[in-house]
Amino acid sequence: MARPLPPVKEPLTDGEISLREFRRDDLAAMIAMLDDEPIVRWTRVPHPYTERDALDYLARGDAERERGEGINLAILDARGRELLGSMSVRIASWPDLRAQLGYLVAANARGRGVMPRAIRLAAHWAFRQLGLERIEILVHPDNQPSQRAAEKAGFKREGILRSYTRVKAERFDMWSFSALPGELGE
């Protein structure tokens, strides 16, 4: 049964990075971050990404959290000053207590170990706060950096989901990764 997701009132942090809900004062950094070829290539993010797109994303995120469908989180440095990426937790099935993580990392943060840290923080929060029993990550077979991030975070590679999704009018296979409670350590 769907229920509103709790807000992230205090940033989630591991001392190196932090996760918090997006805010209006993130708009300029969001627009700059999302004007990036790899992000455009691997995601459904509109291009060019405008202020209207960012405002719509914030409004949609609030409504989705209230409906119990998911939550969008900004990935920041530990002080909360530099936007490093974006993380979403999407409820795939409340009856099955299963969700999917979606993520992207800003060009200036790539190669710094940001994404595995953010994946672990989001997964720990979702297991503890939402009571989930399985979290999945789905990655395009050609998106090697995203696959590495999932594995470095401790997610297990399961297999290819054939013709699983559409991105920008093309149908793609996706690699499936998963984690269960207790598998990612503390």
Side-chain angles (χ1 to χ4, degrees), residues 1-148:
M1 176 190 305
R3 57 187 184 267
L5 275 60
V8 175
K9 292 182 181 178
E10 295 292 324
L12 310 172
T13 187
D14 67 359
E16 296 289 324
I17 65 158
S18 61
L19 303 178
R20 65 157 167 77
E21 292 185 59
F22 277 99
R23 306 184 300 224
R24 280 187 68 91
D25 61 347
D26 295 321
L27 291 179
M30 287 171 64
I31 293 164
M33 174 179 73
L34 296 171
D35 186 27
D36 178 55
E37 190 279 327
I39 290 173
V40 171
R41 179 178 182 200
W42 300 121
T43 71
R44 293 181 173 98
V45 170
H47 184 71
Y49 196 80
T50 67
E51 183 174 341
R52 176 82 266 151
D53 294 319
L55 289 167
D56 289 347
Y57 178 78
L58 293 178
R60 243 185 355 264
D62 290 343
E64 289 168 354
R65 189 179 59 70
E66 285 299 316
R67 290 191 306 261
E69 296 171 355
I71 190 167
N72 299 322
L73 302 169
I75 305 168
L76 303 125
D77 63 5
R79 294 182 322 256
R81 294 187 182 137
E82 179 185 10
L83 182 63
L84 304 175
S86 175
M87 172 69 64
S88 67
V89 179
R90 295 276 165 258
I91 304 302
S93 171
W94 274 117
D96 296 324
L97 297 173
R98 182 170 43 86
Q100 290 180 0
L101 298 184
Y103 48 85
L104 57 85
V105 64
N108 64 325
R110 293 187 189 127
R112 295 172 31 191
V114 167
M115 200 45 63
R117 289 175 171 283
I119 291 168
R120 281 190 296 273
L121 279 172
H124 286 304
W125 177 84
F127 285 136
R128 287 186 202 119
Q129 296 298 312
L130 305 180
L132 298 177
E133 294 178 356
R134 177 182 167 87
I135 299 177
E136 302 165 339
I137 296 173
L138 304 178
V139 182
H140 189 285
D142 294 338
N143 188 342
Q144 296 298 317
S146 190
Q147 291 178 52
R148 282 192 301 274

Side-chain angles (χ1 to χ4, degrees), residues 134-169:
R134 177 182 167 87
I135 299 177
E136 302 165 339
I137 296 173
L138 304 178
V139 182
H140 189 285
D142 294 338
N143 188 342
Q144 296 298 317
S146 190
Q147 291 178 52
R148 282 192 301 274
E151 289 177 323
K152 285 180 180 178
F155 277 64
K156 308 284 187 262
R157 184 183 297 259
E158 294 185 317
I160 287 281
L161 301 172
R162 297 178 316 125
S163 192
Y164 187 80
T165 195
R166 293 179 61 81
V167 177
K168 298 187 173 85

